[in-house]
Amino acid sequence: MPVTDPVNVRKPGERAAGLQVNGFAPVGGPVRSRRKRAEMLSPDRFDRPLIANARLRPRSGWRALASDLTSGRWTPGPSPRELRSRERERQIAAPLRRRHVVAFFCLKGGIGKTSVTAATSLAMADLRADPVLAVDANPDAGDLAERLLGHASSGIAALARDAGEISSLDDLSRYTVAADRLTVLPGEPNPMLGDSLSGADFETVLDVVSTYYSLINVDCGTGVSHPVMRGVLSHTDTAVIPASWSITGARRAAETVQWLSKNGFEDLARRSVVVLVAKDSVSHQIDKEAVRHYLGRTGDVILVPADPHIADGAQMRWEQMARPTQNAFLDAAAAIARHFSSE
C-alpha cells in the first residue's frame, strides 16, 4: 500500500498552490504572485517608448526637399529659424480663458495706427482657432473697414443703438463685415455720429460682442479725453502703441505710456507693446538705436520695416506685404499673446 503524505493530499477539485492554467496562476493563487505579475505589466517597466517620436517635417528649403526625396525616411528636421517661427505661431494660437481686449492708440495721429491694427489683427485671425474681432472705435471718421475691405462702411453706432435686439451671431453679423478670417465691426465715417459715441455706448457694444468673440482688437482715436476712450481703456487688457522713427513720433509714443501711468492705468503701461513703423525715410541725424532704447523702457518694441503696401493707404492684403513686414506683425501678435498666459 503506497504511503501518502497527508500534507499534500488535495480534495477533489482543489488545485495546488501556484498551479498555472493557460500560463496564469488561478484566481485563488498567492497574492504575492499576482502582485509580481502586475508589476511586470506596469507601463513603468518599459524602458523605451513603444512608438518612436516622429520628427517634425520641415516646411521649406533643402530640409523639406530631402524629406520629400526620401519619402520621409530621412528628415533632418526644421531649421532653427523655422523652429522659432513655429514657437511664435504656437504663442499666437494660445487659447484664451477669458475675454482679452487690445487697444491700439497713441496721442499722435498719422503714424499708421489703423494700419498696425489691421495688419496685427489679420495675423492673429489667420493663426487662431477662435474668431478674432477688430472694432473701429475711432470717433473721428474711423476707416479701419476701408483699409481692410477697400470701401467705407458703418456699424458701431447702429449696434450700440440696437444692442437689445441681438440674440445670435447671425443677428450680430448684420453689423459686421469680413476680411478673410477676420471679422470687423466698422466705425462711423460720419464724424458727427462717431463723435456722439460715449463710454457707455462702447461698453454696451462690448457686452454684446463678448458673447461671440474672446479676442477683441480696438482701433482707437488720438483723443484720450474723448468719452469713448474711458470706456475702451477701462476694459483693455493690453495696449499697443504705434510709433515712428521721427522725434515727435517717438516722443508721443513714450508720452502715451506716461499718460497711462499717470491716469490710473499703470498695469496697462507695464503691459504695453510699442510697434515702431518705418513709414517714411528720416535723415541720418536720427539716432535709431537711441529711439529704440528710449521706447524700450516702456515694454516690448516691435520694428516694422518700410513697406509701400502699408504706406500707400490703400486696401491692405496680407499676401501683398513683404515677408519682413509679415514677420514684424507676427512678432507684434506674439507679443500680445504672451500676455494671455498671465491671466
Side-chain angles (χ1 to χ4, degrees), residues 283-307:
S283 71
H284 295 294
Q285 294 181 351
I286 299 297
D287 187 343
K288 292 187 176 182
E289 190 59 36
V291 173
R292 292 178 59 180
H293 176 73
Y294 182 66
L295 294 175
R297 296 177 300 177
T298 62
D300 292 308
V301 177
I302 309 298
L303 306 180
V304 180
D307 190 326

Side-chain angles (χ1 to χ4, degrees), residues 60-145:
S60 60
W62 69 266
R63 296 168 180 269
L65 180 61
S67 180
D68 290 342
L69 291 177
T70 61
S71 299
R73 290 189 296 273
W74 181 58
T75 300
S79 66
R81 177 182 294 181
E82 182 178 329
L83 288 175
R84 290 193 297 270
S85 178
R86 287 174 180 264
E87 172 60 19
R88 181 177 61 187
E89 293 172 3
R90 185 197 65 79
Q91 291 176 347
I92 296 172
L96 279 166
R97 293 190 292 269
R98 65 174 184 87
R99 181 185 72 195
H100 194 96
V101 178
V102 184
F104 294 74
F105 80 108
C106 185
L107 297 178
K108 177 176 172 55
I111 58 175
K113 174 181 56 61
T114 297
S115 297
V116 171
T117 306
T120 307
S121 298
L122 286 172
M124 302 187 89
D126 186 56
L127 291 173
R128 293 189 59 79
D130 56 334
V132 178
L133 178 67
V135 177
D136 190 344
N138 187 346
D140 188 19
D143 61 348
L144 178 62

Side-chain angles (χ1 to χ4, degrees), residues 207-218:
D207 287 341
V208 172
V209 300
S210 297
T211 304
Y212 311 99
Y213 298 91
S214 297
L215 181 56
I216 302 168
N217 295 340
V218 184

Side-chain angles (χ1 to χ4, degrees), residues 156-157 159-161 196-207 228:
I156 189 170
L159 180 58
R161 180 192 64 222
S196 66
L197 288 173
S198 66
D201 289 332
F202 179 81
E203 291 179 345
T204 297
V205 168
L206 189 61
D207 287 341
V228 74

